[in-house]
Amino acid sequence: MTRVFWLSRHTMTDVQLSDLKRIYGDVEIVQYSGSVRDAAEVLELAGDCEVLAVVLPPAILANLVNPRVNTRPVIRAKANRVATGNTVINPATGKEEEEFRFEHAGWEQIKRIIVETVDL
């Protein structure tokens, strides 16, 4: 059984879980839905989990996939934004807009994060 650390504010969907089972076989999900400060905290919370499935900002991801910091696979769910055909009122603007839902589109392993900058 593969222990997967799921770092997300959202509960993993049945479709996401089924897809993880396709990849890793039997899995046990260990979820943490709080915020984290850095990669070190992620690793501490993950304990002995073998795979890190995360929703994180690029700065933390960059440290987490650094082989000097972590050697476990770091993965994230992919999703497609699909129109529902309904309209909703946007609470921020008060205007009607098209409604969308997110549909699971697979998992991807993050191998490295590259930041390219230009002086201004």
Side-chain angles (χ1 to χ4, degrees):
M1 169 133 357
T2 301
R3 289 175 47 93
V4 177
F5 181 64
W6 174 235
L7 175 59
S8 174
R9 296 183 197 280
H10 302 283
T11 302
M12 186 177 291
T13 68
D14 290 340
V15 175
Q16 289 172 322
L17 180 57
S18 293
D19 202 21
L20 270 184
K21 289 178 180 178
R22 174 187 61 82
I23 299 164
Y24 295 108
D26 287 337
V27 295
E28 176 187 351
I29 305 301
V30 177
Q31 181 172 1
Y32 180 75
S33 60
S35 296
V36 294
R37 292 180 307 276
D38 54 29
E41 185 176 10
V42 173
L43 294 172
E44 181 180 327
L45 291 166
D48 64 351
C49 290
E50 297 139 302
V51 177
L52 309 176
V54 299
V55 178
L56 289 169
I60 297 176
L61 276 175
N63 287 327
L64 197 57
V65 298
N66 181 333
R68 291 181 301 251
V69 174
N70 171 51
T71 57
R72 292 178 270 189
V74 177
I75 65 173
R76 66 180 176 187
K78 298 187 300 179
N80 294 323
R81 191 170 177 246
V82 179
T84 66
N86 300 322
T87 57
V88 294
I89 303 295
N90 181 325
T93 64
K95 296 181 180 178
E96 269 193 10
E97 60 183 46
E98 191 173 9
E99 179 184 55
F100 291 87
R101 66 179 168 78
F102 291 94
E103 185 177 271
H104 180 67
W107 292 92
E108 61 188 5
Q109 183 174 352
I110 303 163
K111 301 298 278 183
R112 64 185 174 143
I113 302 289
I114 299 171
V115 178
E116 183 175 328
T117 65
V118 175
D119 287 340
L120 301 175

